Amino acid sequence: MIQELLMAAAGAAAATAVYAGAAARVVKQYERGVVFRFGRLRGEVRKPGFTMIVPGVERLHKVNMQIVTMPVPAQEGITRDNVTVRVDAVVYFKVVDAAEALVSVEDYKFAVSQMAQTSLRSIIGKSDLDDLLSNREKLNQGLELMLDSPAIGWGVQIDRVEIKDVSLPETMKRSMARQAEADRERRARLINADAELQASKKLAEAARQMADTPSALQLRLLQTVMAVAAEKNSTLVLPIPVELLRFLERAAPEQHPHAHPHAQTPAPVVPPLGDAYLAGRADAQDAIEDLTGTSVEPAPHENGG
């Protein structure tokens, strides 16, 4: 009798141990447990720690509450200013309602991924290229709002959205490089022109100061000579004041035009043909006819024609 009681007690203990092993569950600190009884959601979500369920009747689903980092595949699109780009991003989200994440959507991770890709394509089509390159913070906020609206109904909260990289065609990269180079050259010329303007103002002020004090010009000349001599040059450049050259030019005597070595000799003046010239020519023609017996026309005069 006692042996039968001991065997019954041992069997009950073994059954209790098996039941406890099947019913015992441990929920980790970063998880929440959702219990379904015969397929229906059971009241409260199980918190972290040790918990029990009814084996064969209830089923416990653990939901990770940590922030999930999900990369969004690169999406090709055409911007508002007709530039083809490839943009990829990353989404940070977490589950805030474990029951809604299991009941409202089949796979909340896949749903968030597809929604992120669709929203990224929409953002590309609504934005300019300059916004994608320089105004990413505003685009990130727009993406976060577009994702957070449907995700809140799935028990998911979008923590942050970041655009990682924007890939441009090679032709567009070369065009942007030429534009940047031209802009930098323009700024360099403006800076150089501004420096020249400031230098000219300072030089004009220094010239007025030296005009009031003539000895300052001599001191400046001596400083220039010392600066040149400090370089250990074999040649010493000594500037001559312009006023001295002008004084020598005014003091030089004026020369006669005929004394100049390259002056041109005036052409001889041919006197006009008068009556005396014509009479002398007629007498000469008669004398020639007497000697030869025939009429000979003399050669025309060089200047008379």
Side-chain angles (χ1 to χ4, degrees), residues 20 22 31-32 35 65 76 95 101 123 136 140 143 150 171-172 176 180 182 193 207 215 239 245 258 285-286:
E31 294 177 339
R32 297 294 182 271
V35 179
M65 306 296 288
E76 287 191 3
V95 177
I123 285 292
R136 294 188 181 182
N140 293 338
L143 272 174
T171 55
M172 181 58 63
M176 294 177 66
S215 59
L245 297 178
H258 295 287
Q285 185 176 0
D286 294 339

Side-chain angles (χ1 to χ4, degrees), residues 255-266:
Q255 297 181 359
H256 196 273
H258 295 287
H260 198 277
H262 298 286
Q264 297 181 359
T265 304

